[in-house]
Amino acid sequence: MVIVGVRFKDVGKVYYFDPAGISEDKLTRDTPVIVETARGAEYGVIALENREIDMRGFGQPLRKVLRLATASDISQEDTNRRRENEARDVCLEKIKEHNLEMNLVDVELSFDLSKIIFFFTADGRVDFRALVKDLASAFRMRIELRQIGVRDEAKMLSGIGICGRILCCASFLDEFQPVSIKSAKDQGLSLNPTKISGICGKLMCCLKYEEETYAHLMVGMPGVGDLVRTPDGDGDVLSINILKQIARIAVKKTPADEPVTDYYGVADIKILEHRPQCERNCRCPKCRGQL
């Protein structure tokens, strides 16, 4: 079956739709379209052009692209964006009137003006029943208040990361991937929270980018403190460089000799003993269940 990918926000998730017979040359990238969604007709742009897929990977039939967006549709979308800014001001005023401890992040108005969603963050549960009544009275449409997390807030508001670039989540990441402290450990990064956390306060999304590469390179690498055999004799691992695939080892050519420190490639090393002192924050194959 042929499908197209449609995005409703600049860096939002891509959703798949049935082109419903609209010719491929008309559904080119960034073409505005009107599509059928669970909440009615919505305005979006083509993010992925026509492609063949196996429908067995989808649990239910795809909704359809209704039509290419007309000049009237584009004008309606621009008007909706202006109305969202007006709705934001009204909501902020109502939040202040009701003295609610919540932070309004974004406002989203459906294309057909049937529903308006207010995204907010809060430290705990918020009783916003009175607020919903006031907003429904002001806008005469369905009102939804949706509490979001700090990562979603950063994606909506955008900003500059510690790398000096626009946040990944606000520039190209369409979905969040789970990130754990293990990613920082495997890459030998500082575990200082201020150095590996983004402006949202969560672990940086970029820790995930090289995780698979480091996991592959760690296969066969010794841990710090391990007893290993080298071409020059047995010795203790002092440090490792995962990317260069080398280890710094203090080698004794004979038991009576003073240890000589040198670097050896992983291919030239055989792990003889996994030492207990390397178990804390260890990244060696044995601790990771590969020996």
Side-chain angles (χ1 to χ4, degrees):
M1 179 179 178
V2 177
I3 64 161
V4 292
V6 176
R7 181 175 278 138
F8 298 103
K9 293 186 177 181
D10 291 340
V11 197
K13 181 179 178 180
V14 176
Y15 296 88
Y16 298 110
F17 290 87
D18 179 355
I22 301 177
S23 62
E24 181 177 344
D25 60 328
K26 293 182 179 180
L27 295 176
T28 56
R29 191 177 178 87
D30 296 329
T31 300
V33 291
I34 304 299
V35 296
E36 175 189 356
T37 72
R39 61 185 190 185
E42 287 289 348
Y43 177 97
V45 297
I46 299 295
L48 294 174
E49 298 176 355
N50 289 32
R51 59 190 60 196
E52 289 278 352
I53 63 160
D54 184 352
M55 281 304 295
R56 287 177 296 182
F58 291 83
Q60 56 186 5
L62 296 178
R63 296 180 185 272
K64 298 180 179 181
V65 176
L66 298 177
R67 64 178 186 275
L68 298 177
T70 63
S72 175
D73 293 328
I74 296 173
S75 176
Q76 176 67 38
E77 179 68 8
D78 292 339
T79 300
N80 288 354
R81 299 291 79 80
R82 291 195 297 271
R83 289 181 177 179
E84 287 175 351
N85 292 329
E86 296 170 0
R88 177 193 298 272
D89 294 337
V90 173
C91 186
L92 287 172
E93 182 181 340
K94 297 297 182 182
I95 290 173
K96 187 175 181 180
E97 285 181 11
H98 292 282
N99 195 29
L100 296 174
E101 294 184 358
M102 55 189 291
N103 176 39
L104 183 64
V105 176
D106 199 11
V107 180
E108 183 178 303
L109 184 63
S110 64
F111 180 74
D112 58 4
L113 303 180
S114 63
K115 182 179 182 180
I116 186 167
I117 305 174
F118 297 91
F119 299 91
F120 72 95
T121 58
D123 292 335
R125 295 179 62 86
V126 179
D127 184 359
F128 47 68
R129 288 173 293 183
L131 174 63
V132 170
K133 290 180 180 179
D134 285 354
L135 293 175
S137 176
F139 298 111
R140 301 294 180 182
M141 63 180 71
R142 290 174 56 201
I143 303 295
E144 179 180 341
L145 270 74
R146 187 177 300 174
Q147 187 169 357
I148 60 175
V150 290
R151 296 181 83 187
D152 294 298
E153 180 182 19
K155 182 179 181 69
M156 289 180 176
L157 298 180
S158 189
I160 304 296
I162 60 174
C163 59
R165 298 175 64 88
I166 295 175
L167 300 181
C168 296
C169 61
S171 56
F172 65 89
L173 284 182
D174 52 11
E175 289 187 86
F176 290 114
Q177 296 293 326
V179 184
S180 69
I181 195 67
K182 182 178 180 296
S183 298
K185 290 180 180 179
D186 287 348
Q187 296 172 50
L189 301 176
S190 167
L191 299 184
N192 184 338
T194 60
K195 294 184 178 181
I196 58 175
S197 298
I199 64 173
C200 61
K202 301 291 185 179
L203 292 173
M204 292 188 295
C205 296
C206 56
L207 293 178
K208 194 75 174 178
Y209 299 165
E210 298 178 1
E211 183 179 49
E212 186 176 338
T213 299
Y214 274 87
H216 173 73
L217 293 176
M218 276 303 302
V219 176
M221 285 288 287
V224 176
D226 282 1
L227 175 64
V228 297
R229 176 158 294 164
T230 74
D232 298 323
D234 298 347
D236 299 323
V237 177
L238 303 179
S239 63
I240 61 174
N241 188 312
I242 302 173
L243 295 180
K244 291 184 177 181
Q245 289 285 278
I246 59 175
R248 181 168 166 262
I249 303 172
V251 177
K252 285 187 177 183
K253 295 186 177 180
T254 67
D257 291 341
E258 287 294 320
V260 177
T261 301
D262 203 350
Y263 289 92
Y264 296 86
V266 174
D268 300 324
I269 298 171
K270 180 180 180 182
I271 302 174
L272 299 178
E273 182 183 350
H274 178 70
R275 297 284 176 76
Q277 59 262 36
C278 72
E279 290 180 356
R280 184 178 181 184
N281 295 333
C282 184
R283 300 182 300 277
C284 73
K286 185 171 183 179
C287 279
R288 296 188 301 114
Q290 295 179 357
L291 279 182

